[in-house]
Amino acid sequence: MKSVLEVKNLGVSYKGRGRVLKNITFSIKKGEILGLVGESGCGKSTLSKAILSFIPIEEGEIIHGTKRPQMVFQDPFSSLNPSKTIGWILEEPLRVSKVPKEERKRRVVEMIEKVGLGKEHLKRYPKELSGGQRQRVSIAISLIQGAEFIIADEPVSALDVTVQKQIMELMLTLQEENQLSYLFISHDLNVIYQMCDRVIVMKDGEIVEEGEVEELFANPKHDYTKVLLDSIME
């Protein structure tokens, strides 16, 4: 199966901080959900920014096997234009792509319903939606642009447990229906276990362990992974 992403021997430095990513190597297959876990400051967000070309890389290479990945953030409120309706926001990438007006309207309605919202939400503004509804809109924005690969950065950590479960189920349903690939970033190992096929564990800018979720959770090899898993058993 082809890869949607290959990262080879990646190195990234920040001025004043030195090397923050060191020799990062992994790949993501089409239709796969790869979890990325590690403590705050380990380099998870830096890695996602490098993949999205938001920051320059010093060493190695990043090979995209599909179009540019889309991003789903922890709380998309800051990325949603507060002065525009949800309908306008969803239509915007289609306007840029010169999609005819009637086709835009049809696709927007289809997409908002696909993520579990209704036509009435298209007339609302971001501030009028709950956190879970905004996350559904964020997912819809990614899909309406034809994303095959999505980077989800702590997409459920700001939500209460019930809404977390709903968003996770939605993401899994969409992944299956559309053969999406996710890089799913989370500090919550319970979420990683429920969502992911494989997982990579990062510490101090390096990958210290990688494996199938079931195997890694049952038989962690690295001491840091063992510490992380022990913390959810307490």
Side-chain angles (χ1 to χ4, degrees), residues 221-233:
K221 303 292 191 298
H222 195 277
D223 287 344
Y224 177 64
T225 309
K226 293 174 183 176
V227 170
L228 288 179
L229 290 170
D230 285 344
S231 70
I232 66 171
M233 302 300 290

Side-chain angles (χ1 to χ4, degrees), residues 148-214:
E148 297 174 27
F149 171 35
I150 292 174
I151 299 175
D153 190 358
E154 299 279 6
V156 297
S157 64
L159 307 173
D160 67 42
V161 174
T162 302
V163 180
Q164 271 192 12
K165 187 173 187 295
Q166 293 169 355
I167 296 299
M168 288 162 62
E169 287 175 351
L170 171 65
M171 293 183 73
L172 288 170
T173 298
L174 294 171
Q175 184 264 344
E176 187 173 334
E177 289 176 354
N178 299 281
Q179 272 295 288
L180 298 173
S181 305
Y182 295 133
L183 176 60
F184 196 97
I185 302 170
S186 180
H187 68 279
D188 189 330
L189 286 166
N190 287 310
V191 169
I192 291 288
Y193 185 80
Q194 294 174 66
M195 286 293 299
C196 302
D197 304 306
R198 287 191 301 124
V199 59
I200 54 180
V201 181
M202 283 187 68
K203 178 173 171 53
D204 299 329
E206 299 181 86
I207 293 176
V208 297
E209 189 161 359
E210 177 180 358
E212 300 290 326
V213 166
E214 296 276 358

Side-chain angles (χ1 to χ4, degrees), residues 67-125:
K67 63 178 68 174
R68 179 189 175 97
Q70 296 295 316
M71 191 84 181
V72 173
F73 298 95
Q74 180 176 355
D75 182 357
F77 187 69
S78 60
S79 64
L80 298 176
N81 188 331
S83 67
K84 301 295 185 182
T85 64
I86 299 305
W88 188 98
I89 291 169
L90 281 171
E91 272 194 66
E92 179 61 6
L94 302 180
R95 274 191 291 269
V96 172
S97 300
K98 303 291 193 293
V99 175
K101 184 175 181 179
E102 290 307 311
E103 174 68 5
R104 291 200 312 263
K105 299 291 186 186
R106 183 191 67 77
R107 286 169 63 177
V108 163
V109 170
E110 183 181 88
M111 186 55 65
I112 202 71
E113 292 178 343
K114 195 168 191 175
V115 298
L117 297 176
K119 293 179 184 179
E120 67 275 12
H121 293 96
L122 296 174
K123 298 177 181 179
R124 297 179 187 172
Y125 292 85

